[in-house]
Amino acid sequence: MSFKKLNPLLKESLENLEFDAPLPFQKEVLPIIKGGADAYVIGKKGIGKTAALVIHTIHKLKAEAFEDSPRALFIVENQQKIAELKDEFSKYIRNTDLRVYGTSERYDFEKQKVEIYYGQDIIIGTPAFISKLYFQNALHLGQIQLFVIEDADYMGRNNAYNHVLRLTESMDRFQSVITADEINSKIANYQNGYMNNARVLKFKD
């Protein structure tokens, strides 16, 4: 797959970043997830997993804002990961009107409720905090098209696994992608839950 088949606004962003062609890993994984398949993307850090997900998300959402409810939800381990992922998105959406919101356990909860209510396309947060937002009616999940757990090796800790299961019960007809360095028993169990015949894509380097 080349970048030629992506949304024009996204292609423009890639050109501005001087990305002429996908990395070997991205060339393999992007066509599969772009086709809508649920997937486990397993590989070491540094091979381009995050960039591939960001590119896929922007393309899937047609590089444009739409109404008020979020359409993509990213689950990450901690506040640092939230900031890093939000920064990564910011590189690719500068010429679009997509709205990316990084939640924070350190920021006023009521203000976050308001900021989300007035419209966000992509939400990033930890399992526990996203659950808190949802169960306090601050986050609508009915329009989620893409649900991602990034760097999911931590999912066996702090009740993260169960938080995710409860969140997925409120979503309908969404694509799910999980990335990790290695596949473990916790994330493998999602195959018996909300993952739909997920592809397991393993990359050594």
mmCIF file of all heavy atoms in Angstrom, residues 24-47:
data_model
loop_
_atom_site.group_PDB
_atom_site.id
_atom_site.type_symbol
_atom_site.label_atom_id
_atom_site.label_comp_id
_atom_site.label_asym_id
_atom_site.label_seq_id
_atom_site.Cartn_x
_atom_site.Cartn_y
_atom_site.Cartn_z
ATOM 1 N N PRO A 24 8.295 -0.323 5.907
ATOM 2 C CA PRO A 24 7.953 -1.717 5.567
ATOM 3 C C PRO A 24 6.844 -2.285 6.445
ATOM 4 O O PRO A 24 5.924 -2.950 5.953
ATOM 5 C CB PRO A 24 9.280 -2.456 5.788
ATOM 6 C CG PRO A 24 10.322 -1.419 5.512
ATOM 7 C CD PRO A 24 9.754 -0.133 6.028
ATOM 8 N N PHE A 25 6.916 -2.031 7.757
ATOM 9 C CA PHE A 25 5.863 -2.492 8.660
ATOM 10 C C PHE A 25 4.515 -1.885 8.297
ATOM 11 O O PHE A 25 3.492 -2.571 8.236
ATOM 12 C CB PHE A 25 6.234 -2.129 10.103
ATOM 13 C CG PHE A 25 5.069 -2.042 11.037
ATOM 14 C CD1 PHE A 25 4.497 -3.188 11.567
ATOM 15 C CD2 PHE A 25 4.502 -0.814 11.365
ATOM 16 C CE1 PHE A 25 3.406 -3.108 12.424
ATOM 17 C CE2 PHE A 25 3.429 -0.727 12.213
ATOM 18 C CZ PHE A 25 2.874 -1.871 12.743
ATOM 19 N N GLN A 26 4.508 -0.577 8.056
ATOM 20 C CA GLN A 26 3.252 0.112 7.733
ATOM 21 C C GLN A 26 2.676 -0.373 6.411
ATOM 22 O O GLN A 26 1.452 -0.461 6.258
ATOM 23 C CB GLN A 26 3.500 1.613 7.706
ATOM 24 C CG GLN A 26 3.875 2.179 9.066
ATOM 25 C CD GLN A 26 4.419 3.587 8.989
ATOM 26 O OE1 GLN A 26 4.763 4.076 7.927
ATOM 27 N NE2 GLN A 26 4.503 4.254 10.141
ATOM 28 N N LYS A 27 3.539 -0.708 5.484
ATOM 29 C CA LYS A 27 3.075 -1.205 4.188
ATOM 30 C C LYS A 27 2.312 -2.521 4.338
ATOM 31 O O LYS A 27 1.375 -2.800 3.598
ATOM 32 C CB LYS A 27 4.272 -1.405 3.257
ATOM 33 C CG LYS A 27 3.901 -1.676 1.813
ATOM 34 C CD LYS A 27 5.147 -1.771 0.939
ATOM 35 C CE LYS A 27 5.868 -0.432 0.847
ATOM 36 N NZ LYS A 27 7.021 -0.488 -0.095
ATOM 37 N N GLU A 28 2.670 -3.303 5.346
ATOM 38 C CA GLU A 28 1.988 -4.577 5.585
ATOM 39 C C GLU A 28 0.708 -4.401 6.397
ATOM 40 O O GLU A 28 -0.321 -5.009 6.106
ATOM 41 C CB GLU A 28 2.924 -5.535 6.321
ATOM 42 C CG GLU A 28 4.065 -6.055 5.483
ATOM 43 C CD GLU A 28 4.845 -7.137 6.204
ATOM 44 O OE1 GLU A 28 4.209 -8.107 6.664
ATOM 45 O OE2 GLU A 28 6.073 -7.006 6.317
ATOM 46 N N VAL A 29 0.773 -3.560 7.440
ATOM 47 C CA VAL A 29 -0.348 -3.497 8.376
ATOM 48 C C VAL A 29 -1.454 -2.550 7.931
ATOM 49 O O VAL A 29 -2.642 -2.806 8.191
ATOM 50 C CB VAL A 29 0.150 -3.116 9.794
ATOM 51 C CG1 VAL A 29 0.497 -1.638 9.893
ATOM 52 C CG2 VAL A 29 -0.881 -3.482 10.845
ATOM 53 N N LEU A 30 -1.117 -1.464 7.252
ATOM 54 C CA LEU A 30 -2.138 -0.475 6.903
ATOM 55 C C LEU A 30 -3.249 -1.034 6.013
ATOM 56 O O LEU A 30 -4.427 -0.752 6.257
ATOM 57 C CB LEU A 30 -1.499 0.756 6.268
ATOM 58 C CG LEU A 30 -0.919 1.780 7.255
ATOM 59 C CD1 LEU A 30 -0.119 2.859 6.515
ATOM 60 C CD2 LEU A 30 -2.036 2.446 8.064
ATOM 61 N N PRO A 31 -2.949 -1.808 4.971
ATOM 62 C CA PRO A 31 -4.050 -2.341 4.151
ATOM 63 C C PRO A 31 -5.015 -3.222 4.943
ATOM 64 O O PRO A 31 -6.215 -3.234 4.663
ATOM 65 C CB PRO A 31 -3.331 -3.151 3.069
ATOM 66 C CG PRO A 31 -1.962 -2.587 3.011
ATOM 67 C CD PRO A 31 -1.640 -2.187 4.409
ATOM 68 N N ILE A 32 -4.494 -3.948 5.928
ATOM 69 C CA ILE A 32 -5.348 -4.855 6.706
ATOM 70 C C ILE A 32 -6.288 -4.071 7.606
ATOM 71 O O ILE A 32 -7.498 -4.295 7.621
ATOM 72 C CB ILE A 32 -4.480 -5.831 7.513
ATOM 73 C CG1 ILE A 32 -3.717 -6.756 6.558
ATOM 74 C CG2 ILE A 32 -5.343 -6.662 8.474
ATOM 75 C CD1 ILE A 32 -2.666 -7.610 7.215
ATOM 76 N N ILE A 33 -5.745 -3.111 8.369
ATOM 77 C CA ILE A 33 -6.624 -2.356 9.264
ATOM 78 C C ILE A 33 -7.474 -1.353 8.483
ATOM 79 O O ILE A 33 -8.600 -1.056 8.877
ATOM 80 C CB ILE A 33 -5.843 -1.678 10.409
ATOM 81 C CG1 ILE A 33 -4.793 -0.708 9.889
ATOM 82 C CG2 ILE A 33 -5.209 -2.725 11.302
ATOM 83 C CD1 ILE A 33 -4.070 0.050 11.008
ATOM 84 N N LYS A 34 -6.959 -0.861 7.371
ATOM 85 C CA LYS A 34 -7.753 0.036 6.533
ATOM 86 C C LYS A 34 -8.982 -0.692 5.977
ATOM 87 O O LYS A 34 -10.033 -0.094 5.752
ATOM 88 C CB LYS A 34 -6.893 0.578 5.389
ATOM 89 C CG LYS A 34 -7.577 1.602 4.491
ATOM 90 C CD LYS A 34 -6.551 2.239 3.567
ATOM 91 C CE LYS A 34 -7.219 3.136 2.539
ATOM 92 N NZ LYS A 34 -7.799 2.385 1.423
ATOM 93 N N GLY A 35 -8.875 -2.007 5.810
ATOM 94 C CA GLY A 35 -9.993 -2.804 5.331
ATOM 95 C C GLY A 35 -11.051 -3.055 6.395
ATOM 96 O O GLY A 35 -12.087 -3.649 6.109
ATOM 97 N N GLY A 36 -10.777 -2.627 7.626
ATOM 98 C CA GLY A 36 -11.774 -2.728 8.688
ATOM 99 C C GLY A 36 -11.627 -3.906 9.621
ATOM 100 O O GLY A 36 -12.453 -4.093 10.520
ATOM 101 N N ALA A 37 -10.579 -4.713 9.451
ATOM 102 C CA ALA A 37 -10.408 -5.906 10.285
ATOM 103 C C ALA A 37 -10.017 -5.527 11.712
ATOM 104 O O ALA A 37 -9.250 -4.592 11.934
ATOM 105 C CB ALA A 37 -9.334 -6.813 9.694
ATOM 106 N N ASP A 38 -10.565 -6.272 12.691
ATOM 107 C CA ASP A 38 -10.028 -6.200 14.042
ATOM 108 C C ASP A 38 -8.634 -6.823 14.009
ATOM 109 O O ASP A 38 -8.390 -7.788 13.267
ATOM 110 C CB ASP A 38 -10.901 -6.985 15.012
ATOM 111 C CG ASP A 38 -12.220 -6.285 15.320
ATOM 112 O OD1 ASP A 38 -12.421 -5.153 14.842
ATOM 113 O OD2 ASP A 38 -13.049 -6.868 16.035
ATOM 114 N N ALA A 39 -7.714 -6.278 14.812
ATOM 115 C CA ALA A 39 -6.347 -6.783 14.716
ATOM 116 C C ALA A 39 -5.561 -6.586 15.990
ATOM 117 O O ALA A 39 -5.741 -5.601 16.713
ATOM 118 C CB ALA A 39 -5.615 -6.084 13.564
ATOM 119 N N TYR A 40 -4.694 -7.567 16.252
ATOM 120 C CA TYR A 40 -3.614 -7.420 17.214
ATOM 121 C C TYR A 40 -2.363 -7.091 16.396
ATOM 122 O O TYR A 40 -1.999 -7.857 15.501
ATOM 123 C CB TYR A 40 -3.361 -8.722 17.960
ATOM 124 C CG TYR A 40 -4.440 -9.151 18.923
ATOM 125 C CD1 TYR A 40 -5.470 -9.994 18.500
ATOM 126 C CD2 TYR A 40 -4.423 -8.748 20.249
ATOM 127 C CE1 TYR A 40 -6.456 -10.413 19.385
ATOM 128 C CE2 TYR A 40 -5.405 -9.170 21.143
ATOM 129 C CZ TYR A 40 -6.411 -9.998 20.704
ATOM 130 O OH TYR A 40 -7.383 -10.408 21.583
ATOM 131 N N VAL A 41 -1.717 -5.992 16.707
ATOM 132 C CA VAL A 41 -0.495 -5.606 16.001
ATOM 133 C C VAL A 41 0.652 -5.742 16.992
ATOM 134 O O VAL A 41 0.791 -4.939 17.915
ATOM 135 C CB VAL A 41 -0.604 -4.167 15.461
ATOM 136 C CG1 VAL A 41 0.670 -3.794 14.713
ATOM 137 C CG2 VAL A 41 -1.817 -4.033 14.538
ATOM 138 N N ILE A 42 1.454 -6.773 16.813
ATOM 139 C CA ILE A 42 2.464 -7.152 17.782
ATOM 140 C C ILE A 42 3.860 -6.901 17.207
ATOM 141 O O ILE A 42 4.205 -7.415 16.142
ATOM 142 C CB ILE A 42 2.334 -8.638 18.171
ATOM 143 C CG1 ILE A 42 0.889 -8.974 18.575
ATOM 144 C CG2 ILE A 42 3.316 -8.983 19.283
ATOM 145 C CD1 ILE A 42 0.358 -8.192 19.744
ATOM 146 N N GLY A 43 4.647 -6.095 17.910
ATOM 147 C CA GLY A 43 6.005 -5.819 17.458
ATOM 148 C C GLY A 43 6.723 -4.894 18.408
ATOM 149 O O GLY A 43 6.108 -4.229 19.236
ATOM 150 N N LYS A 44 8.018 -4.831 18.283
ATOM 151 C CA LYS A 44 8.834 -4.023 19.174
ATOM 152 C C LYS A 44 8.594 -2.532 18.966
ATOM 153 O O LYS A 44 8.144 -2.102 17.911
ATOM 154 C CB LYS A 44 10.321 -4.349 18.960
ATOM 155 C CG LYS A 44 10.704 -5.769 19.349
ATOM 156 C CD LYS A 44 12.183 -6.029 19.090
ATOM 157 C CE LYS A 44 12.579 -7.448 19.472
ATOM 158 N NZ LYS A 44 14.013 -7.714 19.186
ATOM 159 N N LYS A 45 8.926 -1.767 19.985
ATOM 160 C CA LYS A 45 8.819 -0.310 19.890
ATOM 161 C C LYS A 45 9.762 0.194 18.799
ATOM 162 O O LYS A 45 10.842 -0.355 18.582
ATOM 163 C CB LYS A 45 9.181 0.334 21.231
ATOM 164 C CG LYS A 45 8.117 0.128 22.316
ATOM 165 C CD LYS A 45 8.539 0.762 23.626
ATOM 166 C CE LYS A 45 7.418 0.676 24.662
ATOM 167 N NZ LYS A 45 7.026 -0.708 24.982
ATOM 168 N N GLY A 46 9.324 1.236 18.109
ATOM 169 C CA GLY A 46 10.180 1.851 17.099
ATOM 170 C C GLY A 46 9.937 1.408 15.675
ATOM 171 O O GLY A 46 10.582 1.909 14.749
ATOM 172 N N ILE A 47 8.977 0.472 15.482
ATOM 173 C CA ILE A 47 8.742 0.006 14.108
ATOM 174 C C ILE A 47 7.654 0.815 13.398
ATOM 175 O O ILE A 47 7.404 0.596 12.221
ATOM 176 C CB ILE A 47 8.396 -1.496 14.060
ATOM 177 C CG1 ILE A 47 7.079 -1.790 14.801
ATOM 178 C CG2 ILE A 47 9.521 -2.332 14.618
ATOM 179 C CD1 ILE A 47 6.604 -3.224 14.618
#
